[in-house]
Amino acid sequence: MNKRITRRDALAITAAGLCAAPSVVRAQSHVQTWPSRPVTMVLPFAAGGGTDLLARGLAQDLGEKLGQQFIVDNRAGAGGNVGGGAVAKATPDGYTILFGTPGPLANNKLMYKSLPYDPEQAFAPIVLIAKSPLIIAAKTSLPVKDLKELTAHAKANPGKLNVGIPGNGTLGHITSLLLQKELGVSMTNVPYRGTALVINDLLGGQVDVAMDFMPSYVPLAREGKIRALAVTTSQRADDLPDVATVQEAGFRGFEATAWYALAAPAGTPGEIIDKLNAASNAFLTSPKGREVLTNLSMQAVGGSPADLKAFIASELQKWGPVVKEADISM
């Protein structure tokens, strides 16, 4: 039986609607006028290096396109977790966003026991900006010139080849583990505290092979001081066009890349996400964006927020078994 709505009920409903209306109008107004003040782009690593340069190039372009300054805020620490955690806890109003990499946006979830946030739940994906290949490089005295010859040499000398990696749990480390599994070989990983030390010992012959981020190795390969055996992206790198990919060496489907993406705190309005996505995609196709990426040995990606969400899920699926098998824990 339907209850009759009394005059008192009607007045109560009307009053509730009037109370709610201003907050709805304010929310709509906020989205329509965003950005009306500077936006903070948190970069969870120290200033300097390719990641910082890409973030600053993008921030400048977004500021020009959207009419407000985008300020890069370097918050380094705990493999990117300090900066990632700050954005995860930020107000989802579009004024704090994350310029993230595989660690804080995906892989740290697999390695850190006490990660203060779940990247898949804490962030709203915006766009995958770019990928950067890792390089598989050898000392010049090693009698191999490509990945197939490295495989044959490693099988003939099981456990005797040393692989320099820029630290435990780094992308170079897990790439080495995955590649050895794909090649069916056993090599000894030697962790260093950063790329510079890996390069020093590769040049000195203390390690046989390096698996690391590519830019620092390009001039050495061009000068013949090291030998580039392969790159790990699905397409060849413009900086070393004569160097084959791992896939071209016969290992179909293999890809291991550094990547860079924008994300916002979960709950950020979709209209703001869409504005940032459109402006970022425009940067990637512009002459300025192409110049920035070329100078950093990076490959533009772009796409939708849904594309980035699916990509992160695929990265976790790929690296999860590798991390678990190697028992990598921080």
Side-chain angles (χ1 to χ4, degrees), residues 92-176:
D93 57 6
Y95 289 99
T96 303
I97 60 176
L98 177 69
F99 187 94
T101 60
L105 280 174
N107 294 344
N108 287 356
K109 176 181 179 179
L110 304 171
M111 303 181 194
Y112 283 79
K113 294 179 179 178
S114 57
L115 189 67
Y117 63 91
D118 182 337
E120 290 188 285
Q121 303 299 322
F123 301 123
I126 297 173
V127 65
L128 182 57
I129 300 294
K131 294 180 180 180
S132 179
L134 275 71
I135 191 171
I136 302 162
K139 62 183 182 182
T140 54
S141 60
L142 195 70
V144 302
K145 65 177 184 297
D146 56 33
L147 197 58
K148 289 182 179 179
E149 292 187 0
L150 175 65
T151 302
H153 189 73
K155 286 182 176 179
N157 299 274
K160 294 182 179 180
L161 295 184
N162 292 326
V163 182
I165 55 173
N168 280 319
T170 61
L171 191 58
H173 182 195
I174 58 178
T175 296
S176 177

Side-chain angles (χ1 to χ4, degrees), residues 30-39 66-68 70 94-95 275:
H30 163 72
V31 171
Q32 290 169 356
T33 59
W34 181 92
S36 59
R37 55 186 172 87
V39 175
L66 297 173
Q68 286 289 340
F70 278 64
Y95 289 99
K275 284 183 181 180

Side-chain angles (χ1 to χ4, degrees), residues 239-252:
D239 281 353
L240 295 172
D242 295 332
V243 179
T245 68
V246 175
Q247 293 191 29
E248 287 177 318
F251 302 93
R252 295 179 61 184

Side-chain angles (χ1 to χ4, degrees), residues 157-291:
N157 299 274
K160 294 182 179 180
L161 295 184
N162 292 326
V163 182
I165 55 173
N168 280 319
T170 61
L171 191 58
H173 182 195
I174 58 178
T175 296
S176 177
L177 295 172
L178 182 61
L179 185 64
Q180 289 182 56
K181 186 174 182 179
E182 291 288 321
L183 301 182
V185 302
S186 174
M187 297 185 283
T188 302
N189 289 314
V190 181
Y192 288 82
R193 298 187 66 178
T195 291
L197 296 175
V198 178
I199 289 176
N200 184 67
D201 276 8
L202 184 66
L203 291 171
Q206 282 77 34
V207 291
D208 304 298
V209 178
M211 295 191 199
D212 201 351
F213 298 111
M214 182 173 160
S216 298
Y217 294 80
V218 170
L220 298 173
R222 288 174 174 169
E223 294 166 13
K225 294 180 178 178
I226 62 171
R227 186 173 296 123
L229 305 181
V231 294
T232 60
T233 35
S234 57
Q235 62 190 57
R236 293 194 181 195
D238 291 339
D239 281 353
L240 295 172
D242 295 332
V243 179
T245 68
V246 175
Q247 293 191 29
E248 287 177 318
F251 302 93
R252 295 179 61 184
F254 185 96
E255 184 177 28
T257 65
W259 49 268
Y260 315 90
L262 281 187
T268 300
E271 295 90 336
I272 293 175
I273 299 292
D274 290 342
K275 284 183 181 180
L276 284 165
N277 177 271
S280 299
N281 276 300
F283 167 75
L284 294 175
T285 57
S286 68
K288 178 181 178 182
R290 289 195 294 268
E291 180 183 3

